[in-house]
Amino acid sequence: MQKEAMLTQLGYVPNNALVQQLQRIEENTTGYEKIQKHIMDLHDHLKVDGSYIAMSNSNDFFKIKVEAPSAEIAQEAHEKIQHFSEKYKVVINKLDNKNTYYILGFNH
């Protein structure tokens, strides 16, 4: 997938800085080419729960933000993230005391 298309699908307006940031994230995410499509699929599945995938401002990783309007919907989003991690062998790291995860890469 072209970087500009991926940025657009994630809700960004592509520019040089964002393309460069996406490049760093791709290089920093182990096995990125194996999980890229699954990351975008998860983003689409999470949107219905009020959650999403974005580029982290502090680390060169994708982050998953759970911003659901209720505890039940948040739980559903967390379950989708766990399923994604287990099914596609994706290493994720949940931040302590936050509804945020980092996608670290493919666990081969």
Side-chain angles (χ1 to χ4, degrees), residues 52-81:
Y52 57 92
I53 295 178
M55 296 190 301
S56 171
N57 293 326
S58 54
N59 297 295
D60 285 331
F61 289 109
F62 283 113
K63 67 180 176 183
I64 305 168
K65 293 286 288 176
V66 177
E67 294 186 348
S70 72
E72 295 82 17
I73 295 173
Q75 182 59 37
E76 185 177 306
H78 288 292
E79 288 170 6
K80 286 178 183 180
I81 294 164

PDB file of all heavy atoms in Angstrom, residues 52-81:
ATOM      1  N   TYR A  52      -9.286   3.689  17.478  1.00  0.00           N
ATOM      2  CA  TYR A  52      -8.590   3.845  16.206  1.00  0.00           C
ATOM      3  C   TYR A  52      -7.106   3.534  16.348  1.00  0.00           C
ATOM      4  O   TYR A  52      -6.581   3.401  17.456  1.00  0.00           O
ATOM      5  CB  TYR A  52      -8.751   5.275  15.687  1.00  0.00           C
ATOM      6  CG  TYR A  52      -8.270   6.323  16.668  1.00  0.00           C
ATOM      7  CD1 TYR A  52      -6.966   6.797  16.631  1.00  0.00           C
ATOM      8  CD2 TYR A  52      -9.125   6.822  17.656  1.00  0.00           C
ATOM      9  CE1 TYR A  52      -6.515   7.736  17.527  1.00  0.00           C
ATOM     10  CE2 TYR A  52      -8.686   7.763  18.567  1.00  0.00           C
ATOM     11  CZ  TYR A  52      -7.382   8.223  18.497  1.00  0.00           C
ATOM     12  OH  TYR A  52      -6.929   9.150  19.401  1.00  0.00           O
ATOM     13  N   ILE A  53      -6.431   3.473  15.205  1.00  0.00           N
ATOM     14  CA  ILE A  53      -4.978   3.343  15.142  1.00  0.00           C
ATOM     15  C   ILE A  53      -4.426   4.664  14.612  1.00  0.00           C
ATOM     16  O   ILE A  53      -4.986   5.247  13.677  1.00  0.00           O
ATOM     17  CB  ILE A  53      -4.561   2.161  14.241  1.00  0.00           C
ATOM     18  CG1 ILE A  53      -5.038   0.853  14.876  1.00  0.00           C
ATOM     19  CG2 ILE A  53      -3.049   2.156  14.013  1.00  0.00           C
ATOM     20  CD1 ILE A  53      -4.742  -0.385  14.073  1.00  0.00           C
ATOM     21  N   ALA A  54      -3.345   5.119  15.230  1.00  0.00           N
ATOM     22  CA  ALA A  54      -2.707   6.371  14.829  1.00  0.00           C
ATOM     23  C   ALA A  54      -1.195   6.200  14.911  1.00  0.00           C
ATOM     24  O   ALA A  54      -0.704   5.184  15.408  1.00  0.00           O
ATOM     25  CB  ALA A  54      -3.159   7.506  15.744  1.00  0.00           C
ATOM     26  N   MET A  55      -0.488   7.198  14.428  1.00  0.00           N
ATOM     27  CA  MET A  55       0.963   7.197  14.567  1.00  0.00           C
ATOM     28  C   MET A  55       1.289   7.884  15.894  1.00  0.00           C
ATOM     29  O   MET A  55       0.749   8.951  16.192  1.00  0.00           O
ATOM     30  CB  MET A  55       1.616   7.927  13.392  1.00  0.00           C
ATOM     31  CG  MET A  55       1.371   7.227  12.070  1.00  0.00           C
ATOM     32  SD  MET A  55       2.354   7.886  10.693  1.00  0.00           S
ATOM     33  CE  MET A  55       1.840   9.589  10.637  1.00  0.00           C
ATOM     34  N   SER A  56       2.155   7.269  16.669  1.00  0.00           N
ATOM     35  CA  SER A  56       2.541   7.833  17.960  1.00  0.00           C
ATOM     36  C   SER A  56       3.372   9.093  17.750  1.00  0.00           C
ATOM     37  O   SER A  56       4.231   9.137  16.869  1.00  0.00           O
ATOM     38  CB  SER A  56       3.330   6.807  18.758  1.00  0.00           C
ATOM     39  OG  SER A  56       3.875   7.403  19.915  1.00  0.00           O
ATOM     40  N   ASN A  57       3.136  10.086  18.593  1.00  0.00           N
ATOM     41  CA  ASN A  57       3.946  11.303  18.541  1.00  0.00           C
ATOM     42  C   ASN A  57       5.253  11.154  19.304  1.00  0.00           C
ATOM     43  O   ASN A  57       6.193  11.902  19.081  1.00  0.00           O
ATOM     44  CB  ASN A  57       3.166  12.489  19.121  1.00  0.00           C
ATOM     45  CG  ASN A  57       1.987  12.855  18.259  1.00  0.00           C
ATOM     46  OD1 ASN A  57       2.038  12.743  17.048  1.00  0.00           O
ATOM     47  ND2 ASN A  57       0.906  13.284  18.884  1.00  0.00           N
ATOM     48  N   SER A  58       5.314  10.191  20.218  1.00  0.00           N
ATOM     49  CA  SER A  58       6.485  10.065  21.077  1.00  0.00           C
ATOM     50  C   SER A  58       7.404   8.897  20.718  1.00  0.00           C
ATOM     51  O   SER A  58       8.558   8.878  21.127  1.00  0.00           O
ATOM     52  CB  SER A  58       6.044   9.937  22.536  1.00  0.00           C
ATOM     53  OG  SER A  58       5.128   8.877  22.680  1.00  0.00           O
ATOM     54  N   ASN A  59       6.877   7.901  19.984  1.00  0.00           N
ATOM     55  CA  ASN A  59       7.671   6.737  19.581  1.00  0.00           C
ATOM     56  C   ASN A  59       7.373   6.419  18.123  1.00  0.00           C
ATOM     57  O   ASN A  59       6.279   6.687  17.653  1.00  0.00           O
ATOM     58  CB  ASN A  59       7.296   5.509  20.426  1.00  0.00           C
ATOM     59  CG  ASN A  59       7.614   5.708  21.881  1.00  0.00           C
ATOM     60  OD1 ASN A  59       8.766   5.832  22.243  1.00  0.00           O
ATOM     61  ND2 ASN A  59       6.592   5.743  22.718  1.00  0.00           N
ATOM     62  N   ASP A  60       8.331   5.819  17.431  1.00  0.00           N
ATOM     63  CA  ASP A  60       8.109   5.459  16.033  1.00  0.00           C
ATOM     64  C   ASP A  60       7.398   4.107  15.942  1.00  0.00           C
ATOM     65  O   ASP A  60       7.973   3.098  15.508  1.00  0.00           O
ATOM     66  CB  ASP A  60       9.426   5.465  15.250  1.00  0.00           C
ATOM     67  CG  ASP A  60       9.915   6.870  14.962  1.00  0.00           C
ATOM     68  OD1 ASP A  60       9.060   7.778  14.849  1.00  0.00           O
ATOM     69  OD2 ASP A  60      11.128   7.074  14.862  1.00  0.00           O
ATOM     70  N   PHE A  61       6.157   4.101  16.412  1.00  0.00           N
ATOM     71  CA  PHE A  61       5.280   2.937  16.352  1.00  0.00           C
ATOM     72  C   PHE A  61       3.862   3.406  16.076  1.00  0.00           C
ATOM     73  O   PHE A  61       3.521   4.568  16.317  1.00  0.00           O
ATOM     74  CB  PHE A  61       5.269   2.174  17.697  1.00  0.00           C
ATOM     75  CG  PHE A  61       6.532   1.440  18.005  1.00  0.00           C
ATOM     76  CD1 PHE A  61       7.382   1.884  19.004  1.00  0.00           C
ATOM     77  CD2 PHE A  61       6.888   0.286  17.309  1.00  0.00           C
ATOM     78  CE1 PHE A  61       8.549   1.202  19.302  1.00  0.00           C
ATOM     79  CE2 PHE A  61       8.056  -0.397  17.591  1.00  0.00           C
ATOM     80  CZ  PHE A  61       8.884   0.065  18.596  1.00  0.00           C
ATOM     81  N   PHE A  62       3.046   2.469  15.597  1.00  0.00           N
ATOM     82  CA  PHE A  62       1.617   2.734  15.563  1.00  0.00           C
ATOM     83  C   PHE A  62       1.090   2.555  16.975  1.00  0.00           C
ATOM     84  O   PHE A  62       1.557   1.702  17.726  1.00  0.00           O
ATOM     85  CB  PHE A  62       0.888   1.730  14.648  1.00  0.00           C
ATOM     86  CG  PHE A  62       1.055   2.021  13.192  1.00  0.00           C
ATOM     87  CD1 PHE A  62       1.770   1.152  12.388  1.00  0.00           C
ATOM     88  CD2 PHE A  62       0.492   3.151  12.620  1.00  0.00           C
ATOM     89  CE1 PHE A  62       1.922   1.402  11.039  1.00  0.00           C
ATOM     90  CE2 PHE A  62       0.638   3.408  11.270  1.00  0.00           C
ATOM     91  CZ  PHE A  62       1.360   2.536  10.481  1.00  0.00           C
ATOM     92  N   LYS A  63       0.112   3.370  17.325  1.00  0.00           N
ATOM     93  CA  LYS A  63      -0.543   3.179  18.610  1.00  0.00           C
ATOM     94  C   LYS A  63      -2.018   2.901  18.364  1.00  0.00           C
ATOM     95  O   LYS A  63      -2.594   3.335  17.374  1.00  0.00           O
ATOM     96  CB  LYS A  63      -0.363   4.384  19.524  1.00  0.00           C
ATOM     97  CG  LYS A  63      -1.064   5.649  19.054  1.00  0.00           C
ATOM     98  CD  LYS A  63      -0.836   6.777  20.027  1.00  0.00           C
ATOM     99  CE  LYS A  63      -1.455   8.076  19.503  1.00  0.00           C
ATOM    100  NZ  LYS A  63      -1.185   9.194  20.411  1.00  0.00           N
ATOM    101  N   ILE A  64      -2.588   2.138  19.261  1.00  0.00           N
ATOM    102  CA  ILE A  64      -4.016   1.836  19.227  1.00  0.00           C
ATOM    103  C   ILE A  64      -4.628   2.580  20.397  1.00  0.00           C
ATOM    104  O   ILE A  64      -4.218   2.384  21.545  1.00  0.00           O
ATOM    105  CB  ILE A  64      -4.278   0.324  19.375  1.00  0.00           C
ATOM    106  CG1 ILE A  64      -3.509  -0.485  18.333  1.00  0.00           C
ATOM    107  CG2 ILE A  64      -5.776   0.048  19.292  1.00  0.00           C
ATOM    108  CD1 ILE A  64      -3.505  -1.991  18.599  1.00  0.00           C
ATOM    109  N   LYS A  65      -5.588   3.433  20.117  1.00  0.00           N
ATOM    110  CA  LYS A  65      -6.268   4.205  21.163  1.00  0.00           C
ATOM    111  C   LYS A  65      -7.683   3.679  21.326  1.00  0.00           C
ATOM    112  O   LYS A  65      -8.455   3.647  20.371  1.00  0.00           O
ATOM    113  CB  LYS A  65      -6.336   5.687  20.785  1.00  0.00           C
ATOM    114  CG  LYS A  65      -5.010   6.398  20.749  1.00  0.00           C
ATOM    115  CD  LYS A  65      -4.455   6.683  22.111  1.00  0.00           C
ATOM    116  CE  LYS A  65      -5.250   7.781  22.786  1.00  0.00           C
ATOM    117  NZ  LYS A  65      -4.836   8.053  24.140  1.00  0.00           N
ATOM    118  N   VAL A  66      -8.013   3.288  22.544  1.00  0.00           N
ATOM    119  CA  VAL A  66      -9.371   2.863  22.864  1.00  0.00           C
ATOM    120  C   VAL A  66     -10.061   4.061  23.518  1.00  0.00           C
ATOM    121  O   VAL A  66      -9.723   4.443  24.633  1.00  0.00           O
ATOM    122  CB  VAL A  66      -9.381   1.635  23.801  1.00  0.00           C
ATOM    123  CG1 VAL A  66     -10.809   1.266  24.182  1.00  0.00           C
ATOM    124  CG2 VAL A  66      -8.678   0.461  23.132  1.00  0.00           C
ATOM    125  N   GLU A  67     -10.989   4.662  22.782  1.00  0.00           N
ATOM    126  CA  GLU A  67     -11.726   5.820  23.270  1.00  0.00           C
ATOM    127  C   GLU A  67     -13.218   5.561  23.126  1.00  0.00           C
ATOM    128  O   GLU A  67     -13.948   6.347  22.543  1.00  0.00           O
ATOM    129  CB  GLU A  67     -11.308   7.083  22.519  1.00  0.00           C
ATOM    130  CG  GLU A  67      -9.871   7.476  22.799  1.00  0.00           C
ATOM    131  CD  GLU A  67      -9.479   8.792  22.188  1.00  0.00           C
ATOM    132  OE1 GLU A  67     -10.226   9.331  21.340  1.00  0.00           O
ATOM    133  OE2 GLU A  67      -8.395   9.293  22.544  1.00  0.00           O
ATOM    134  N   ALA A  68     -13.649   4.454  23.654  1.00  0.00           N
ATOM    135  CA  ALA A  68     -15.042   4.033  23.537  1.00  0.00           C
ATOM    136  C   ALA A  68     -15.922   4.846  24.487  1.00  0.00           C
ATOM    137  O   ALA A  68     -15.477   5.262  25.552  1.00  0.00           O
ATOM    138  CB  ALA A  68     -15.153   2.551  23.842  1.00  0.00           C
ATOM    139  N   PRO A  69     -17.196   5.041  24.099  1.00  0.00           N
ATOM    140  CA  PRO A  69     -18.107   5.845  24.914  1.00  0.00           C
ATOM    141  C   PRO A  69     -18.625   5.137  26.168  1.00  0.00           C
ATOM    142  O   PRO A  69     -19.215   5.793  27.032  1.00  0.00           O
ATOM    143  CB  PRO A  69     -19.255   6.164  23.950  1.00  0.00           C
ATOM    144  CG  PRO A  69     -19.211   5.067  22.942  1.00  0.00           C
ATOM    145  CD  PRO A  69     -17.775   4.671  22.822  1.00  0.00           C
ATOM    146  N   SER A  70     -18.417   3.841  26.296  1.00  0.00           N
ATOM    147  CA  SER A  70     -18.897   3.121  27.481  1.00  0.00           C
ATOM    148  C   SER A  70     -17.918   2.001  27.822  1.00  0.00           C
ATOM    149  O   SER A  70     -17.110   1.585  26.990  1.00  0.00           O
ATOM    150  CB  SER A  70     -20.281   2.530  27.231  1.00  0.00           C
ATOM    151  OG  SER A  70     -20.202   1.437  26.343  1.00  0.00           O
ATOM    152  N   ALA A  71     -18.024   1.491  29.041  1.00  0.00           N
ATOM    153  CA  ALA A  71     -17.139   0.412  29.487  1.00  0.00           C
ATOM    154  C   ALA A  71     -17.365  -0.851  28.661  1.00  0.00           C
ATOM    155  O   ALA A  71     -16.412  -1.565  28.342  1.00  0.00           O
ATOM    156  CB  ALA A  71     -17.363   0.129  30.969  1.00  0.00           C
ATOM    157  N   GLU A  72     -18.613  -1.125  28.292  1.00  0.00           N
ATOM    158  CA  GLU A  72     -18.918  -2.325  27.513  1.00  0.00           C
ATOM    159  C   GLU A  72     -18.285  -2.250  26.126  1.00  0.00           C
ATOM    160  O   GLU A  72     -17.712  -3.226  25.641  1.00  0.00           O
ATOM    161  CB  GLU A  72     -20.434  -2.531  27.379  1.00  0.00           C
ATOM    162  CG  GLU A  72     -21.156  -2.808  28.673  1.00  0.00           C
ATOM    163  CD  GLU A  72     -21.480  -1.559  29.483  1.00  0.00           C
ATOM    164  OE1 GLU A  72     -21.436  -0.426  28.927  1.00  0.00           O
ATOM    165  OE2 GLU A  72     -21.739  -1.709  30.689  1.00  0.00           O
ATOM    166  N   ILE A  73     -18.387  -1.096  25.499  1.00  0.00           N
ATOM    167  CA  ILE A  73     -17.817  -0.929  24.162  1.00  0.00           C
ATOM    168  C   ILE A  73     -16.286  -0.936  24.244  1.00  0.00           C
ATOM    169  O   ILE A  73     -15.613  -1.494  23.375  1.00  0.00           O
ATOM    170  CB  ILE A  73     -18.360   0.346  23.486  1.00  0.00           C
ATOM    171  CG1 ILE A  73     -19.874   0.188  23.246  1.00  0.00           C
ATOM    172  CG2 ILE A  73     -17.647   0.629  22.173  1.00  0.00           C
ATOM    173  CD1 ILE A  73     -20.566   1.423  22.742  1.00  0.00           C
ATOM    174  N   ALA A  74     -15.739  -0.356  25.305  1.00  0.00           N
ATOM    175  CA  ALA A  74     -14.282  -0.390  25.496  1.00  0.00           C
ATOM    176  C   ALA A  74     -13.809  -1.836  25.651  1.00  0.00           C
ATOM    177  O   ALA A  74     -12.791  -2.223  25.066  1.00  0.00           O
ATOM    178  CB  ALA A  74     -13.888   0.433  26.721  1.00  0.00           C
ATOM    179  N   GLN A  75     -14.555  -2.635  26.408  1.00  0.00           N
ATOM    180  CA  GLN A  75     -14.189  -4.039  26.584  1.00  0.00           C
ATOM    181  C   GLN A  75     -14.194  -4.765  25.241  1.00  0.00           C
ATOM    182  O   GLN A  75     -13.308  -5.564  24.948  1.00  0.00           O
ATOM    183  CB  GLN A  75     -15.148  -4.725  27.570  1.00  0.00           C
ATOM    184  CG  GLN A  75     -14.819  -6.176  27.842  1.00  0.00           C
ATOM    185  CD  GLN A  75     -13.423  -6.382  28.414  1.00  0.00           C
ATOM    186  OE1 GLN A  75     -12.945  -5.582  29.212  1.00  0.00           O
ATOM    187  NE2 GLN A  75     -12.756  -7.439  27.991  1.00  0.00           N
ATOM    188  N   GLU A  76     -15.191  -4.470  24.416  1.00  0.00           N
ATOM    189  CA  GLU A  76     -15.261  -5.077  23.083  1.00  0.00           C
ATOM    190  C   GLU A  76     -14.040  -4.690  22.251  1.00  0.00           C
ATOM    191  O   GLU A  76     -13.457  -5.526  21.559  1.00  0.00           O
ATOM    192  CB  GLU A  76     -16.550  -4.612  22.388  1.00  0.00           C
ATOM    193  CG  GLU A  76     -16.796  -5.266  21.058  1.00  0.00           C
ATOM    194  CD  GLU A  76     -18.122  -4.817  20.443  1.00  0.00           C
ATOM    195  OE1 GLU A  76     -19.164  -4.932  21.116  1.00  0.00           O
ATOM    196  OE2 GLU A  76     -18.086  -4.347  19.295  1.00  0.00           O
ATOM    197  N   ALA A  77     -13.621  -3.430  22.337  1.00  0.00           N
ATOM    198  CA  ALA A  77     -12.439  -2.979  21.597  1.00  0.00           C
ATOM    199  C   ALA A  77     -11.192  -3.700  22.094  1.00  0.00           C
ATOM    200  O   ALA A  77     -10.366  -4.156  21.289  1.00  0.00           O
ATOM    201  CB  ALA A  77     -12.282  -1.463  21.733  1.00  0.00           C
ATOM    202  N   HIS A  78     -11.034  -3.841  23.413  1.00  0.00           N
ATOM    203  CA  HIS A  78      -9.871  -4.550  23.960  1.00  0.00           C
ATOM    204  C   HIS A  78      -9.852  -6.000  23.489  1.00  0.00           C
ATOM    205  O   HIS A  78      -8.794  -6.552  23.185  1.00  0.00           O
ATOM    206  CB  HIS A  78      -9.870  -4.485  25.494  1.00  0.00           C
ATOM    207  CG  HIS A  78      -9.546  -3.132  26.040  1.00  0.00           C
ATOM    208  ND1 HIS A  78      -8.301  -2.551  25.931  1.00  0.00           N
ATOM    209  CD2 HIS A  78     -10.316  -2.234  26.700  1.00  0.00           C
ATOM    210  CE1 HIS A  78      -8.306  -1.356  26.506  1.00  0.00           C
ATOM    211  NE2 HIS A  78      -9.519  -1.141  26.974  1.00  0.00           N
ATOM    212  N   GLU A  79     -11.034  -6.612  23.405  1.00  0.00           N
ATOM    213  CA  GLU A  79     -11.113  -8.000  22.922  1.00  0.00           C
ATOM    214  C   GLU A  79     -10.712  -8.090  21.454  1.00  0.00           C
ATOM    215  O   GLU A  79     -10.022  -9.034  21.048  1.00  0.00           O
ATOM    216  CB  GLU A  79     -12.523  -8.555  23.145  1.00  0.00           C
ATOM    217  CG  GLU A  79     -12.821  -8.819  24.609  1.00  0.00           C
ATOM    218  CD  GLU A  79     -14.282  -9.142  24.886  1.00  0.00           C
ATOM    219  OE1 GLU A  79     -15.084  -9.277  23.930  1.00  0.00           O
ATOM    220  OE2 GLU A  79     -14.627  -9.246  26.084  1.00  0.00           O
ATOM    221  N   LYS A  80     -11.112  -7.124  20.645  1.00  0.00           N
ATOM    222  CA  LYS A  80     -10.716  -7.106  19.232  1.00  0.00           C
ATOM    223  C   LYS A  80      -9.198  -6.977  19.106  1.00  0.00           C
ATOM    224  O   LYS A  80      -8.581  -7.620  18.253  1.00  0.00           O
ATOM    225  CB  LYS A  80     -11.390  -5.936  18.496  1.00  0.00           C
ATOM    226  CG  LYS A  80     -12.858  -6.141  18.239  1.00  0.00           C
ATOM    227  CD  LYS A  80     -13.452  -4.921  17.546  1.00  0.00           C
ATOM    228  CE  LYS A  80     -14.941  -5.080  17.333  1.00  0.00           C
ATOM    229  NZ  LYS A  80     -15.522  -3.898  16.668  1.00  0.00           N
ATOM    230  N   ILE A  81      -8.601  -6.167  19.961  1.00  0.00           N
ATOM    231  CA  ILE A  81      -7.155  -5.966  19.923  1.00  0.00           C
ATOM    232  C   ILE A  81      -6.439  -7.257  20.316  1.00  0.00           C
ATOM    233  O   ILE A  81      -5.470  -7.657  19.668  1.00  0.00           O
ATOM    234  CB  ILE A  81      -6.756  -4.788  20.840  1.00  0.00           C
ATOM    235  CG1 ILE A  81      -7.330  -3.484  20.270  1.00  0.00           C
ATOM    236  CG2 ILE A  81      -5.233  -4.707  20.993  1.00  0.00           C
ATOM    237  CD1 ILE A  81      -7.336  -2.328  21.249  1.00  0.00           C
TER     238      ILE A  81
END
